[in-house]
Amino acid sequence: MKKISTLFAKDPNDLGRVIDKINIENKWVFEGEAIATRKFDGTSVAIIEGEIFKRFDAKKGRTIPLGAIPCQEADPISGHHPHWLKCDRSKSEDKHFFEGFDGLENKVDGTYELCGPKVQGNPENFEKHTLVKHGSEILDFVSLDFEGLEIFLSENDIEGIVFHHISDERMCKLRKSDFGIKRMEVMLNG
């Protein structure tokens, strides 16, 4: 799965935030060519030919394991080079991936988010490790403008939004953290 860009331009003074300026490569979202879906907070996985793979980012200097499948070319600036790495039932580090995989009724090839008790602090509050198909939960909101999206994200306890192009594979995202908003659960407990 390729890294995807942010709907709005990054703040040049704080790259963790966005500013009220459309990221030009994502103009298609505002032209009615997008489906908005919920972004779950977990870890990316893929089912490829009926097998489960976890994401592995071969950052600069990191050795790429044998058999890893590249998702895209390495980013020349950050050095990030995401790959899919086949999970192994004999490795304890992969047991949660298999718990989610084994719980799937239909193991359809595609990308998923692994969520659950031992993943990212479980902000999605799953009781067991679960694979959620990317793009499976479509969102509906009133406004696509900067302020409207900020309000939507502040009022809903989700990590963010992934916009999928209606006729090709383009995607972009917008997260709560892009506005400096924290998850509700984090705000209650932290």
Side-chain angles (χ1 to χ4, degrees):
M1 171 172 218
K2 293 180 178 180
K3 291 271 188 185
I4 58 175
S5 63
T6 304
L7 178 62
F8 294 106
K10 294 286 189 175
D11 181 341
N13 300 313
D14 181 355
L15 295 177
R17 302 290 274 282
V18 292
I19 56 174
D20 189 0
K21 179 181 175 189
I22 298 168
N23 188 344
I24 197 69
E25 69 185 89
N26 299 320
K27 189 174 140 193
W28 53 270
V29 172
F30 300 93
E31 295 169 344
E33 299 178 22
I35 297 169
T37 66
R38 178 176 173 176
K39 183 175 186 338
F40 284 84
D41 193 355
T43 189
S44 287
V45 301
I47 296 178
I48 303 169
E49 297 179 5
E51 303 277 356
I52 187 165
F53 290 73
K54 61 186 173 183
R55 186 163 177 150
F56 174 85
D57 193 359
K59 298 174 185 170
K60 287 183 179 175
R62 199 166 178 201
T63 303
I64 299 170
L66 194 61
I69 302 167
C71 300
Q72 67 186 50
E73 295 296 317
D75 183 299
I77 298 168
S78 68
H80 289 279
H81 192 191
H83 287 69
W84 291 121
L85 188 59
K86 189 174 178 181
C87 293
D88 181 342
R89 283 195 188 271
S90 69
K91 293 184 176 178
S92 62
E93 68 209 44
D94 291 346
K95 75 178 187 178
H96 304 307
F97 293 92
F98 281 106
E99 183 181 329
F101 181 72
D102 293 342
L104 271 183
E105 197 169 301
N106 296 313
K107 294 170 177 60
V108 177
D109 281 8
T111 59
Y112 296 76
E113 200 75 7
L114 173 65
C115 299
K118 300 291 184 183
V119 181
Q120 306 285 27
N122 198 21
E124 303 296 349
N125 296 311
F126 279 77
E127 291 183 20
K128 61 182 182 176
H129 294 97
T130 305
L131 294 184
V132 179
K133 183 108 171 78
H134 286 152
S136 63
E137 189 174 315
I138 296 174
L139 300 174
D140 188 26
F141 39 80
V142 179
S143 174
L144 277 175
D145 68 24
F146 188 83
E147 186 177 296
L149 288 167
E150 182 177 18
I151 290 168
F152 177 82
L153 288 170
S154 69
E155 292 176 347
N156 291 278
D157 188 25
I158 62 174
E159 182 190 14
I161 305 165
V162 176
F163 296 92
H164 298 258
H165 195 280
I166 58 174
S167 62
D168 60 39
E169 295 185 7
R170 283 182 282 174
M171 291 184 283
C172 64
K173 64 186 173 187
L174 190 62
R175 299 168 300 189
K176 280 182 177 303
S177 61
D178 293 327
F179 292 103
I181 304 168
K182 294 185 189 243
R183 291 291 297 259
M184 290 178 190
E185 190 67 30
V186 173
M187 292 185 337
L188 294 172
N189 293 334

